[in-house]
Amino acid sequence: MSRIIISGVGAGMGCSISRLLKNSGNKIGIISRGDNGRKIAEELGAIYSRCDLMKPDEVIESFRKLASQLRGLDGVIHLAGGFFSSRKPEEVDHEYFSNALSNNAFTFYNAVEAALPLFPQSGGSILVISAARSVFMNSHMGYAAGKGAIDYMVRYLAKELYPRNIRVNAVAPGFIAKENCGEPNLDKKLGMTGRHNARPVSEAVQMLLLNRLATGQILEVDAGFSTMLPSGFD
């Protein structure tokens, strides 16, 4: 059994990941700014803390409170981000760029800062949700900058934290369903367009979170779209 804090939980991937980990016998604490995280925590019988992940003091307090209730901390999963939209460069103003970058990269920084003092001497695991190339190449500069920052932070932190036996990895999903805990009725196959089931993303998160030798990895889970050459290059 592991003690895991999941930050930035919503109705899609966050719900699916929380459900899988709780049903696998782990003790979880859920952090969100809105009501979705609270409702999911109530459904699963998990502990909950409301927090704005853009505010460092709130993040530190929420992590401390949840780690105390969990009686320790073994893993962190960070999902906050957003600001995906198909905007051309001239349609992205300074404020929108800054918000997209901050909501992705800065919230991850806040979660790492809050978690590091709480891990035991035996180490732990940090997992962050990034985005597959097939997603950020269809978005805008601020979103690409935010997810790109996450990817490089993962590689940097993996190098810096391995002496403490703290592993740092990312899962980079494609387009994933947000409704019904990310589990729509249609089971799409590889290469099919549209939003896919969140369950394979949750399984990838669980694998990387618990794998004792995996660190510095960014695993794309996007139904194969990142392997496909653009039109005109095949």
Side-chain angles (χ1 to χ4, degrees):
M1 179 191 299
S2 295
R3 301 157 297 181
I4 302 166
I5 292 176
I6 309 172
S7 54
V9 172
M13 282 185 287
C15 173
S16 179
I17 291 166
S18 300
R19 181 180 290 175
L20 176 61
L21 291 173
K22 185 69 164 61
N23 291 342
S24 298
N26 300 289
K27 296 173 64 177
I28 65 171
I30 289 175
I31 292 174
S32 75
R33 184 172 56 185
D35 286 335
N36 278 326
R38 177 184 57 79
K39 292 176 181 178
I40 293 162
E42 290 176 354
E43 172 199 331
L44 297 175
I47 59 176
Y48 172 76
S49 178
R50 185 181 294 273
C51 169
D52 185 344
L53 289 160
M54 285 289 292
K55 298 179 178 179
D57 290 344
E58 286 190 22
V59 180
I60 290 171
E61 179 60 28
S62 285
F63 268 73
R64 284 177 178 169
K65 181 179 78 172
L66 291 180
S68 176
Q69 292 176 286
L70 293 170
R71 298 186 181 276
L73 182 64
D74 302 303
V76 171
I77 301 169
H78 183 71
L79 294 106
F83 276 81
F84 175 89
S85 68
S86 298
R87 296 193 181 195
K88 298 183 183 301
E90 59 271 19
E91 297 173 334
V92 178
D93 60 24
H94 290 171
E95 182 179 5
Y96 195 82
F97 180 92
S98 177
N99 286 336
L101 178 59
S102 297
N103 275 271
N104 284 279
F106 189 51
T107 60
F108 180 42
Y109 167 85
N110 286 342
V112 171
E113 179 188 40
L116 286 181
L118 303 175
F119 282 119
Q121 290 187 344
S122 57
S125 181
I126 297 171
L127 191 292
V128 61
I129 297 296
S130 179
R133 287 166 287 176
S134 55
V135 175
F136 70 73
M137 291 299 288
N138 283 290
S139 190
H140 58 86
M141 289 189 294
Y143 186 88
K147 295 305 187 184
I150 285 173
D151 290 353
Y152 279 94
M153 289 165 71
V154 164
R155 295 186 175 103
Y156 168 81
L157 288 168
K159 175 183 71 73
E160 289 294 314
L161 296 177
Y162 85 85
R164 295 169 58 178
N165 202 37
I166 297 175
R167 295 172 288 103
V168 187
N169 294 290
V171 170
F175 291 102
I176 302 298
K178 295 182 179 180
E179 297 78 20
N180 191 29
C181 208
E183 298 180 1
N185 294 328
L186 179 63
D187 186 15
K188 293 178 177 292
K189 297 181 180 180
L190 292 177
M192 292 181 67
T193 59
R195 292 186 178 272
H196 286 251
N197 194 309
R199 182 58 181 247
V201 176
S202 303
E203 292 167 347
V205 166
Q206 185 180 49
M207 181 274 291
L208 280 178
L209 187 75
L210 301 178
N211 190 296
R212 296 181 181 180
L213 294 183
T215 192
Q217 303 303 303
I218 300 166
L219 177 61
E220 289 185 312
V221 184
D222 73 341
F225 280 98
S226 294
T227 70
M228 299 176 189
L229 290 172
S231 178
F233 288 87
D234 53 357

